[in-house]
Amino acid sequence: MKKSLFFLSALIGLVFSLVSVVARAAGSDTGNLLQQPVQQPAPAAAKHIKTALAVGVSLDQQGRLWLAKVVNQRLLVSWSEDDGQHFSGPVTVNSVPENIGNDGENRPKIQVAHDGTVLVTWTQLLAEKYAGNIKFSRSTDSGRTFSEPIVLNDDGRVTSHRFDSLAIDGKGRVVVAWLDARDRDAAREKGEEFKGISLYSSQSSDNGAHFEPNRKIHQHTCECCRTALAWTSEGPIVLLRNIFDANTRDFAVVNLDKAEESARRVTHDEWQIDACPHNGGSLAVDGRDQLHLTWFTSGAAAQGQFYRRISRNRESQPMALGDADAQPDHAAVVAHGETVILTWRVMLTTGTSDYPVPLISDNKALIVWHTNNEGLRVLPVEKVINRSNHQTLFATQQ
């Protein structure tokens, strides 16, 4: 397989981000790869308005962009038919205000099923330190109204249930996974030691109308790094930062439909740290059922942001992303057919910003980026693909 490597750099406003598009495609004309960004101005400053930078976004079957954001302790959902130039009036999901997790590692999630059902999850932060609940709501009328939110974690404990991830299979199955401290708390009550916390999940077979009881998937995971979910032909796969040996915090994947199987270690960076990096990974599945993952590490064997592809038992060598001097981190990856998009953030900025979030569907690819100075920005990316030729194209934006 012949591979071609190209680089394209461009300045975006006053804030720097790094974007990489990986596509098996022909041709080397990257001049139009990155089109002009659509930018929603930042709202006028007001003491009574508190809008979180971390947002949840997704594309539906019609190519509409859906947005979930937190404003004044309420989760608001809206959608756009013109790639973010205009949005519908926001609809409130939770009528009762609550503290909602809204940082880059623990943002709201939103997905739209084939029948138009809109599904959202988020972490409700409780008054106790690190405590939270995993909340869920859905809309069956195209986002006009939402069901009364429910708590998915069913243990009844006031403890840590956080860092949820959401995935749907397009046929009515919904799966939510999160990090859960119930096993750790139970062990400590018995005077036993327990490394890290656990991964739990709950599933629905009717687009979220009903959920099954919680299932314990895996124990001894890192406490506060985001989880990531992607759907394969063998079921939903979760990527998480695991605790190996005494305190090695590398990444593993687990099939939620095969919880009896051991977690598969997919990075070997040997990051020995008795703390949480607060820097999770991202996972996607392409049209060939290959896994694409990206992660950050500061281990003895490797340091920086990396990408790798997994095809059954074959794993590509880790590929470093970006300029190490710019400290790239908090990357995200999406895939559709033969196309893969990676985004990440670098250290230079004139103000606070969310992590850039990539989206891809049949007919478009977008980068959504929310910054304090520029507001919500939507950058269309031309989909570069030619199924008759197998090359690899990398484009970076800074």
Side-chain angles (χ1 to χ4, degrees), residues 222-265:
C222 197
E223 298 93 329
C224 52
C225 287
R226 60 181 158 147
T227 60
L229 269 172
W231 216 289
T232 71
S233 61
E234 296 183 349
I237 304 292
V238 64
L239 174 71
L240 54 88
R241 191 183 290 277
N242 196 46
I243 301 178
F244 296 96
D245 304 321
N247 221 342
T248 302
R249 304 204 178 207
D250 282 351
F251 282 90
V253 293
V254 183
N255 189 324
L256 298 186
D257 284 351
K258 302 177 181 179
E260 69 282 358
E261 296 183 358
S262 299
R264 174 181 174 180
R265 187 172 181 173

mmCIF file of all heavy atoms in Angstrom, residues 222-265:
data_model
loop_
_atom_site.group_PDB
_atom_site.id
_atom_site.type_symbol
_atom_site.label_atom_id
_atom_site.label_comp_id
_atom_site.label_asym_id
_atom_site.label_seq_id
_atom_site.Cartn_x
_atom_site.Cartn_y
_atom_site.Cartn_z
ATOM 1 N N CYS A 222 -8.523 3.744 36.057
ATOM 2 C CA CYS A 222 -8.151 5.072 36.512
ATOM 3 C C CYS A 222 -9.418 5.843 36.896
ATOM 4 O O CYS A 222 -10.477 5.661 36.292
ATOM 5 C CB CYS A 222 -7.385 5.790 35.413
ATOM 6 S SG CYS A 222 -6.461 7.233 35.970
ATOM 7 N N GLU A 223 -9.321 6.724 37.897
ATOM 8 C CA GLU A 223 -10.508 7.323 38.495
ATOM 9 C C GLU A 223 -11.132 8.469 37.706
ATOM 10 O O GLU A 223 -12.332 8.695 37.815
ATOM 11 C CB GLU A 223 -10.177 7.849 39.909
ATOM 12 C CG GLU A 223 -9.746 6.788 40.879
ATOM 13 C CD GLU A 223 -8.245 6.604 40.939
ATOM 14 O OE1 GLU A 223 -7.569 6.828 39.899
ATOM 15 O OE2 GLU A 223 -7.740 6.245 42.002
ATOM 16 N N CYS A 224 -10.345 9.243 36.968
ATOM 17 C CA CYS A 224 -10.932 10.466 36.408
ATOM 18 C C CYS A 224 -10.391 10.791 35.018
ATOM 19 O O CYS A 224 -10.057 11.935 34.728
ATOM 20 C CB CYS A 224 -10.720 11.638 37.353
ATOM 21 S SG CYS A 224 -9.018 11.885 37.876
ATOM 22 N N CYS A 225 -10.314 9.783 34.178
ATOM 23 C CA CYS A 225 -10.036 9.995 32.754
ATOM 24 C C CYS A 225 -11.260 9.562 31.963
ATOM 25 O O CYS A 225 -11.846 8.514 32.236
ATOM 26 C CB CYS A 225 -8.817 9.191 32.298
ATOM 27 S SG CYS A 225 -7.242 9.846 32.878
ATOM 28 N N ARG A 226 -11.664 10.361 31.002
ATOM 29 C CA ARG A 226 -12.860 10.077 30.220
ATOM 30 C C ARG A 226 -12.815 8.688 29.594
ATOM 31 O O ARG A 226 -11.761 8.189 29.216
ATOM 32 C CB ARG A 226 -13.038 11.131 29.124
ATOM 33 C CG ARG A 226 -11.860 11.182 28.168
ATOM 34 C CD ARG A 226 -12.011 12.244 27.096
ATOM 35 N NE ARG A 226 -10.712 12.600 26.554
ATOM 36 C CZ ARG A 226 -10.506 12.951 25.295
ATOM 37 N NH1 ARG A 226 -11.487 12.966 24.435
ATOM 38 N NH2 ARG A 226 -9.297 13.287 24.887
ATOM 39 N N THR A 227 -13.963 8.071 29.466
ATOM 40 C CA THR A 227 -14.117 6.838 28.710
ATOM 41 C C THR A 227 -14.533 7.190 27.288
ATOM 42 O O THR A 227 -14.992 8.299 27.011
ATOM 43 C CB THR A 227 -15.170 5.928 29.344
ATOM 44 O OG1 THR A 227 -16.432 6.632 29.374
ATOM 45 C CG2 THR A 227 -14.768 5.552 30.763
ATOM 46 N N ALA A 228 -14.388 6.229 26.374
ATOM 47 C CA ALA A 228 -14.803 6.441 24.987
ATOM 48 C C ALA A 228 -15.457 5.159 24.480
ATOM 49 O O ALA A 228 -14.988 4.058 24.771
ATOM 50 C CB ALA A 228 -13.600 6.800 24.115
ATOM 51 N N LEU A 229 -16.543 5.303 23.722
ATOM 52 C CA LEU A 229 -17.291 4.164 23.199
ATOM 53 C C LEU A 229 -17.369 4.212 21.687
ATOM 54 O O LEU A 229 -17.502 5.286 21.094
ATOM 55 C CB LEU A 229 -18.722 4.175 23.756
ATOM 56 C CG LEU A 229 -19.015 3.423 25.057
ATOM 57 C CD1 LEU A 229 -20.434 3.729 25.506
ATOM 58 C CD2 LEU A 229 -18.833 1.926 24.874
ATOM 59 N N ALA A 230 -17.304 3.036 21.066
ATOM 60 C CA ALA A 230 -17.505 2.919 19.622
ATOM 61 C C ALA A 230 -18.147 1.571 19.345
ATOM 62 O O ALA A 230 -17.891 0.587 20.056
ATOM 63 C CB ALA A 230 -16.174 3.050 18.874
ATOM 64 N N TRP A 231 -18.988 1.509 18.311
ATOM 65 C CA TRP A 231 -19.732 0.287 18.020
ATOM 66 C C TRP A 231 -19.061 -0.478 16.888
ATOM 67 O O TRP A 231 -18.827 0.062 15.810
ATOM 68 C CB TRP A 231 -21.173 0.612 17.636
ATOM 69 C CG TRP A 231 -22.111 -0.428 18.159
ATOM 70 C CD1 TRP A 231 -22.238 -1.716 17.721
ATOM 71 C CD2 TRP A 231 -23.022 -0.290 19.244
ATOM 72 N NE1 TRP A 231 -23.172 -2.384 18.464
ATOM 73 C CE2 TRP A 231 -23.683 -1.528 19.413
ATOM 74 C CE3 TRP A 231 -23.351 0.766 20.089
ATOM 75 C CZ2 TRP A 231 -24.654 -1.747 20.379
ATOM 76 C CZ3 TRP A 231 -24.316 0.551 21.043
ATOM 77 C CH2 TRP A 231 -24.962 -0.686 21.195
ATOM 78 N N THR A 232 -18.768 -1.758 17.131
ATOM 79 C CA THR A 232 -18.182 -2.637 16.120
ATOM 80 C C THR A 232 -19.186 -3.729 15.769
ATOM 81 O O THR A 232 -20.259 -3.843 16.374
ATOM 82 C CB THR A 232 -16.891 -3.293 16.644
ATOM 83 O OG1 THR A 232 -17.231 -4.274 17.643
ATOM 84 C CG2 THR A 232 -15.958 -2.255 17.265
ATOM 85 N N SER A 233 -18.812 -4.575 14.807
ATOM 86 C CA SER A 233 -19.686 -5.686 14.428
ATOM 87 C C SER A 233 -19.813 -6.711 15.545
ATOM 88 O O SER A 233 -20.738 -7.530 15.558
ATOM 89 C CB SER A 233 -19.142 -6.372 13.171
ATOM 90 O OG SER A 233 -17.845 -6.907 13.421
ATOM 91 N N GLU A 234 -18.888 -6.675 16.509
ATOM 92 C CA GLU A 234 -18.919 -7.609 17.636
ATOM 93 C C GLU A 234 -19.500 -6.978 18.894
ATOM 94 O O GLU A 234 -19.490 -7.599 19.954
ATOM 95 C CB GLU A 234 -17.513 -8.135 17.915
ATOM 96 C CG GLU A 234 -16.933 -8.953 16.758
ATOM 97 C CD GLU A 234 -15.572 -9.522 17.086
ATOM 98 O OE1 GLU A 234 -14.985 -9.112 18.117
ATOM 99 O OE2 GLU A 234 -15.090 -10.376 16.325
ATOM 100 N N GLY A 235 -19.984 -5.754 18.785
ATOM 101 C CA GLY A 235 -20.588 -5.102 19.931
ATOM 102 C C GLY A 235 -19.910 -3.803 20.288
ATOM 103 O O GLY A 235 -18.948 -3.378 19.645
ATOM 104 N N PRO A 236 -20.405 -3.126 21.339
ATOM 105 C CA PRO A 236 -19.818 -1.838 21.761
ATOM 106 C C PRO A 236 -18.491 -2.056 22.476
ATOM 107 O O PRO A 236 -18.379 -2.885 23.375
ATOM 108 C CB PRO A 236 -20.871 -1.261 22.701
ATOM 109 C CG PRO A 236 -21.613 -2.461 23.219
ATOM 110 C CD PRO A 236 -21.584 -3.493 22.134
ATOM 111 N N ILE A 237 -17.491 -1.270 22.077
ATOM 112 C CA ILE A 237 -16.149 -1.340 22.648
ATOM 113 C C ILE A 237 -15.872 -0.055 23.414
ATOM 114 O O ILE A 237 -16.130 1.040 22.904
ATOM 115 C CB ILE A 237 -15.078 -1.523 21.552
ATOM 116 C CG1 ILE A 237 -15.383 -2.756 20.694
ATOM 117 C CG2 ILE A 237 -13.683 -1.611 22.167
ATOM 118 C CD1 ILE A 237 -15.235 -4.062 21.412
ATOM 119 N N VAL A 238 -15.356 -0.183 24.620
ATOM 120 C CA VAL A 238 -15.012 0.997 25.408
ATOM 121 C C VAL A 238 -13.494 1.068 25.556
ATOM 122 O O VAL A 238 -12.824 0.052 25.724
ATOM 123 C CB VAL A 238 -15.687 0.969 26.800
ATOM 124 C CG1 VAL A 238 -15.204 -0.172 27.648
ATOM 125 C CG2 VAL A 238 -15.495 2.301 27.519
ATOM 126 N N LEU A 239 -12.973 2.280 25.450
ATOM 127 C CA LEU A 239 -11.559 2.562 25.692
ATOM 128 C C LEU A 239 -11.454 3.276 27.030
ATOM 129 O O LEU A 239 -12.173 4.246 27.277
ATOM 130 C CB LEU A 239 -10.986 3.444 24.577
ATOM 131 C CG LEU A 239 -9.548 3.941 24.766
ATOM 132 C CD1 LEU A 239 -8.559 2.794 24.595
ATOM 133 C CD2 LEU A 239 -9.229 5.066 23.773
ATOM 134 N N LEU A 240 -10.544 2.801 27.897
ATOM 135 C CA LEU A 240 -10.392 3.414 29.210
ATOM 136 C C LEU A 240 -8.938 3.355 29.647
ATOM 137 O O LEU A 240 -8.163 2.522 29.180
ATOM 138 C CB LEU A 240 -11.284 2.721 30.237
ATOM 139 C CG LEU A 240 -11.149 1.200 30.384
ATOM 140 C CD1 LEU A 240 -10.077 0.821 31.380
ATOM 141 C CD2 LEU A 240 -12.476 0.586 30.792
ATOM 142 N N ARG A 241 -8.588 4.269 30.529
ATOM 143 C CA ARG A 241 -7.260 4.225 31.125
ATOM 144 C C ARG A 241 -7.319 3.257 32.306
ATOM 145 O O ARG A 241 -8.033 3.478 33.275
ATOM 146 C CB ARG A 241 -6.799 5.610 31.574
ATOM 147 C CG ARG A 241 -5.309 5.629 31.952
ATOM 148 C CD ARG A 241 -4.881 6.995 32.471
ATOM 149 N NE ARG A 241 -4.846 8.032 31.451
ATOM 150 C CZ ARG A 241 -3.830 8.246 30.617
ATOM 151 N NH1 ARG A 241 -2.771 7.437 30.650
ATOM 152 N NH2 ARG A 241 -3.878 9.231 29.738
ATOM 153 N N ASN A 242 -6.560 2.179 32.200
ATOM 154 C CA ASN A 242 -6.615 1.110 33.175
ATOM 155 C C ASN A 242 -5.429 1.191 34.135
ATOM 156 O O ASN A 242 -4.457 1.898 33.875
ATOM 157 C CB ASN A 242 -6.609 -0.242 32.448
ATOM 158 C CG ASN A 242 -7.044 -1.377 33.342
ATOM 159 O OD1 ASN A 242 -8.041 -1.266 34.051
ATOM 160 N ND2 ASN A 242 -6.319 -2.476 33.318
ATOM 161 N N ILE A 243 -5.525 0.473 35.247
ATOM 162 C CA ILE A 243 -4.402 0.353 36.173
ATOM 163 C C ILE A 243 -3.837 -1.059 36.039
ATOM 164 O O ILE A 243 -4.494 -2.035 36.405
ATOM 165 C CB ILE A 243 -4.816 0.620 37.625
ATOM 166 C CG1 ILE A 243 -5.402 2.028 37.755
ATOM 167 C CG2 ILE A 243 -3.622 0.454 38.560
ATOM 168 C CD1 ILE A 243 -5.882 2.361 39.154
ATOM 169 N N PHE A 244 -2.654 -1.166 35.475
ATOM 170 C CA PHE A 244 -1.956 -2.446 35.337
ATOM 171 C C PHE A 244 -0.896 -2.562 36.423
ATOM 172 O O PHE A 244 -0.278 -1.569 36.821
ATOM 173 C CB PHE A 244 -1.293 -2.554 33.960
ATOM 174 C CG PHE A 244 -2.266 -2.562 32.815
ATOM 175 C CD1 PHE A 244 -2.571 -1.393 32.127
ATOM 176 C CD2 PHE A 244 -2.882 -3.737 32.422
ATOM 177 C CE1 PHE A 244 -3.463 -1.392 31.067
ATOM 178 C CE2 PHE A 244 -3.785 -3.750 31.359
ATOM 179 C CZ PHE A 244 -4.068 -2.576 30.692
ATOM 180 N N ASP A 245 -0.670 -3.787 36.881
ATOM 181 C CA ASP A 245 0.353 -4.044 37.902
ATOM 182 C C ASP A 245 0.108 -3.134 39.117
ATOM 183 O O ASP A 245 -1.041 -2.925 39.513
ATOM 184 C CB ASP A 245 1.751 -3.844 37.312
ATOM 185 C CG ASP A 245 1.985 -4.714 36.089
ATOM 186 O OD1 ASP A 245 1.535 -5.875 36.109
ATOM 187 O OD2 ASP A 245 2.602 -4.232 35.124
ATOM 188 N N ALA A 246 1.165 -2.593 39.700
ATOM 189 C CA ALA A 246 1.011 -1.798 40.922
ATOM 190 C C ALA A 246 0.333 -0.465 40.647
ATOM 191 O O ALA A 246 -0.635 -0.088 41.313
ATOM 192 C CB ALA A 246 2.368 -1.581 41.577
ATOM 193 N N ASN A 247 0.808 0.273 39.629
ATOM 194 C CA ASN A 247 0.218 1.579 39.361
ATOM 195 C C ASN A 247 0.595 2.084 37.976
ATOM 196 O O ASN A 247 0.918 3.256 37.799
ATOM 197 C CB ASN A 247 0.649 2.600 40.412
ATOM 198 C CG ASN A 247 -0.503 3.509 40.826
ATOM 199 O OD1 ASN A 247 -1.499 3.612 40.119
ATOM 200 N ND2 ASN A 247 -0.362 4.158 41.959
ATOM 201 N N THR A 248 0.565 1.196 36.989
ATOM 202 C CA THR A 248 0.843 1.579 35.609
ATOM 203 C C THR A 248 -0.462 1.972 34.942
ATOM 204 O O THR A 248 -1.377 1.151 34.820
ATOM 205 C CB THR A 248 1.500 0.429 34.839
ATOM 206 O OG1 THR A 248 2.703 0.047 35.505
ATOM 207 C CG2 THR A 248 1.821 0.848 33.415
ATOM 208 N N ARG A 249 -0.577 3.219 34.478
ATOM 209 C CA ARG A 249 -1.848 3.726 33.938
ATOM 210 C C ARG A 249 -1.758 3.853 32.425
ATOM 211 O O ARG A 249 -1.516 4.926 31.878
ATOM 212 C CB ARG A 249 -2.211 5.043 34.618
ATOM 213 C CG ARG A 249 -2.259 4.872 36.134
ATOM 214 C CD ARG A 249 -3.111 5.855 36.844
ATOM 215 N NE ARG A 249 -3.122 5.552 38.280
ATOM 216 C CZ ARG A 249 -4.106 5.864 39.110
ATOM 217 N NH1 ARG A 249 -5.169 6.482 38.652
ATOM 218 N NH2 ARG A 249 -4.035 5.553 40.385
ATOM 219 N N ASP A 250 -1.950 2.721 31.761
ATOM 220 C CA ASP A 250 -2.018 2.653 30.308
ATOM 221 C C ASP A 250 -3.443 2.323 29.886
ATOM 222 O O ASP A 250 -4.321 2.119 30.719
ATOM 223 C CB ASP A 250 -1.029 1.601 29.783
ATOM 224 C CG ASP A 250 0.410 2.112 29.773
ATOM 225 O OD1 ASP A 250 0.609 3.320 30.005
ATOM 226 O OD2 ASP A 250 1.324 1.311 29.538
ATOM 227 N N PHE A 251 -3.671 2.237 28.565
ATOM 228 C CA PHE A 251 -5.042 2.091 28.063
ATOM 229 C C PHE A 251 -5.386 0.650 27.725
ATOM 230 O O PHE A 251 -4.526 -0.160 27.360
ATOM 231 C CB PHE A 251 -5.247 2.975 26.835
ATOM 232 C CG PHE A 251 -5.453 4.418 27.178
ATOM 233 C CD1 PHE A 251 -4.369 5.283 27.282
ATOM 234 C CD2 PHE A 251 -6.718 4.916 27.450
ATOM 235 C CE1 PHE A 251 -4.550 6.610 27.621
ATOM 236 C CE2 PHE A 251 -6.917 6.244 27.794
ATOM 237 C CZ PHE A 251 -5.825 7.093 27.871
ATOM 238 N N ALA A 252 -6.691 0.362 27.832
ATOM 239 C CA ALA A 252 -7.222 -0.959 27.511
ATOM 240 C C ALA A 252 -8.566 -0.785 26.811
ATOM 241 O O ALA A 252 -9.221 0.261 26.933
ATOM 242 C CB ALA A 252 -7.381 -1.801 28.771
ATOM 243 N N VAL A 253 -8.979 -1.824 26.073
ATOM 244 C CA VAL A 253 -10.314 -1.851 25.471
ATOM 245 C C VAL A 253 -11.067 -3.063 26.014
ATOM 246 O O VAL A 253 -10.476 -4.102 26.308
ATOM 247 C CB VAL A 253 -10.268 -1.903 23.928
ATOM 248 C CG1 VAL A 253 -9.710 -0.607 23.359
ATOM 249 C CG2 VAL A 253 -9.464 -3.100 23.434
ATOM 250 N N VAL A 254 -12.381 -2.892 26.152
ATOM 251 C CA VAL A 254 -13.244 -3.950 26.658
ATOM 252 C C VAL A 254 -14.508 -3.984 25.807
ATOM 253 O O VAL A 254 -15.086 -2.934 25.503
ATOM 254 C CB VAL A 254 -13.640 -3.703 28.130
ATOM 255 C CG1 VAL A 254 -14.493 -4.858 28.651
ATOM 256 C CG2 VAL A 254 -12.406 -3.515 29.007
ATOM 257 N N ASN A 255 -14.937 -5.189 25.401
ATOM 258 C CA ASN A 255 -16.200 -5.358 24.698
ATOM 259 C C ASN A 255 -17.308 -5.480 25.734
ATOM 260 O O ASN A 255 -17.316 -6.397 26.545
ATOM 261 C CB ASN A 255 -16.147 -6.615 23.818
ATOM 262 C CG ASN A 255 -17.352 -6.733 22.904
ATOM 263 O OD1 ASN A 255 -18.470 -6.367 23.269
ATOM 264 N ND2 ASN A 255 -17.138 -7.267 21.708
ATOM 265 N N LEU A 256 -18.254 -4.557 25.725
ATOM 266 C CA LEU A 256 -19.307 -4.559 26.728
ATOM 267 C C LEU A 256 -20.247 -5.742 26.589
ATOM 268 O O LEU A 256 -20.963 -6.092 27.533
ATOM 269 C CB LEU A 256 -20.101 -3.250 26.662
ATOM 270 C CG LEU A 256 -19.314 -1.969 26.937
ATOM 271 C CD1 LEU A 256 -20.252 -0.776 26.987
ATOM 272 C CD2 LEU A 256 -18.517 -2.066 28.215
ATOM 273 N N ASP A 257 -20.283 -6.374 25.405
ATOM 274 C CA ASP A 257 -21.092 -7.573 25.214
ATOM 275 C C ASP A 257 -20.352 -8.832 25.643
ATOM 276 O O ASP A 257 -20.930 -9.920 25.654
ATOM 277 C CB ASP A 257 -21.503 -7.714 23.747
ATOM 278 C CG ASP A 257 -22.614 -6.749 23.368
ATOM 279 O OD1 ASP A 257 -23.170 -6.101 24.283
ATOM 280 O OD2 ASP A 257 -22.931 -6.640 22.172
ATOM 281 N N LYS A 258 -19.081 -8.694 25.979
ATOM 282 C CA LYS A 258 -18.272 -9.842 26.393
ATOM 283 C C LYS A 258 -17.502 -9.482 27.660
ATOM 284 O O LYS A 258 -16.285 -9.579 27.730
ATOM 285 C CB LYS A 258 -17.305 -10.247 25.283
ATOM 286 C CG LYS A 258 -17.996 -10.605 23.966
ATOM 287 C CD LYS A 258 -16.985 -10.937 22.871
ATOM 288 C CE LYS A 258 -17.685 -11.269 21.560
ATOM 289 N NZ LYS A 258 -16.701 -11.576 20.483
ATOM 290 N N ALA A 259 -18.268 -9.056 28.668
ATOM 291 C CA ALA A 259 -17.649 -8.576 29.900
ATOM 292 C C ALA A 259 -16.852 -9.657 30.613
ATOM 293 O O ALA A 259 -15.984 -9.354 31.442
ATOM 294 C CB ALA A 259 -18.720 -8.029 30.838
ATOM 295 N N GLU A 260 -17.142 -10.923 30.278
ATOM 296 C CA GLU A 260 -16.395 -11.999 30.921
ATOM 297 C C GLU A 260 -14.965 -12.090 30.413
ATOM 298 O O GLU A 260 -14.100 -12.706 31.051
ATOM 299 C CB GLU A 260 -17.098 -13.348 30.687
ATOM 300 C CG GLU A 260 -17.061 -13.867 29.252
ATOM 301 C CD GLU A 260 -18.066 -13.194 28.324
ATOM 302 O OE1 GLU A 260 -18.832 -12.344 28.817
ATOM 303 O OE2 GLU A 260 -18.077 -13.528 27.133
ATOM 304 N N GLU A 261 -14.684 -11.492 29.261
ATOM 305 C CA GLU A 261 -13.334 -11.510 28.717
ATOM 306 C C GLU A 261 -12.473 -10.450 29.408
ATOM 307 O O GLU A 261 -12.962 -9.415 29.845
ATOM 308 C CB GLU A 261 -13.356 -11.259 27.208
ATOM 309 C CG GLU A 261 -14.062 -12.345 26.418
ATOM 310 C CD GLU A 261 -13.992 -12.102 24.914
ATOM 311 O OE1 GLU A 261 -13.414 -11.060 24.514
ATOM 312 O OE2 GLU A 261 -14.522 -12.938 24.158
ATOM 313 N N SER A 262 -11.187 -10.709 29.497
ATOM 314 C CA SER A 262 -10.276 -9.764 30.126
ATOM 315 C C SER A 262 -10.113 -8.521 29.258
ATOM 316 O O SER A 262 -10.250 -8.580 28.035
ATOM 317 C CB SER A 262 -8.911 -10.417 30.353
ATOM 318 O OG SER A 262 -9.019 -11.539 31.208
ATOM 319 N N ALA A 263 -9.828 -7.418 29.914
ATOM 320 C CA ALA A 263 -9.534 -6.189 29.181
ATOM 321 C C ALA A 263 -8.262 -6.392 28.354
ATOM 322 O O ALA A 263 -7.300 -7.008 28.813
ATOM 323 C CB ALA A 263 -9.366 -5.035 30.147
ATOM 324 N N ARG A 264 -8.274 -5.861 27.156
ATOM 325 C CA ARG A 264 -7.115 -5.983 26.268
ATOM 326 C C ARG A 264 -6.257 -4.731 26.367
ATOM 327 O O ARG A 264 -6.721 -3.630 26.081
ATOM 328 C CB ARG A 264 -7.574 -6.188 24.830
ATOM 329 C CG ARG A 264 -6.444 -6.186 23.809
ATOM 330 C CD ARG A 264 -6.992 -6.376 22.413
ATOM 331 N NE ARG A 264 -5.954 -6.240 21.396
ATOM 332 C CZ ARG A 264 -6.162 -6.366 20.085
ATOM 333 N NH1 ARG A 264 -7.386 -6.635 19.636
ATOM 334 N NH2 ARG A 264 -5.161 -6.215 19.231
ATOM 335 N N ARG A 265 -5.031 -4.889 26.749
ATOM 336 C CA ARG A 265 -4.128 -3.749 26.839
ATOM 337 C C ARG A 265 -3.727 -3.310 25.430
ATOM 338 O O ARG A 265 -3.310 -4.119 24.607
ATOM 339 C CB ARG A 265 -2.883 -4.112 27.644
ATOM 340 C CG ARG A 265 -1.968 -2.933 27.926
ATOM 341 C CD ARG A 265 -0.874 -3.327 28.893
ATOM 342 N NE ARG A 265 0.023 -2.226 29.205
ATOM 343 C CZ ARG A 265 0.978 -2.288 30.138
ATOM 344 N NH1 ARG A 265 1.146 -3.403 30.836
ATOM 345 N NH2 ARG A 265 1.748 -1.231 30.379
#
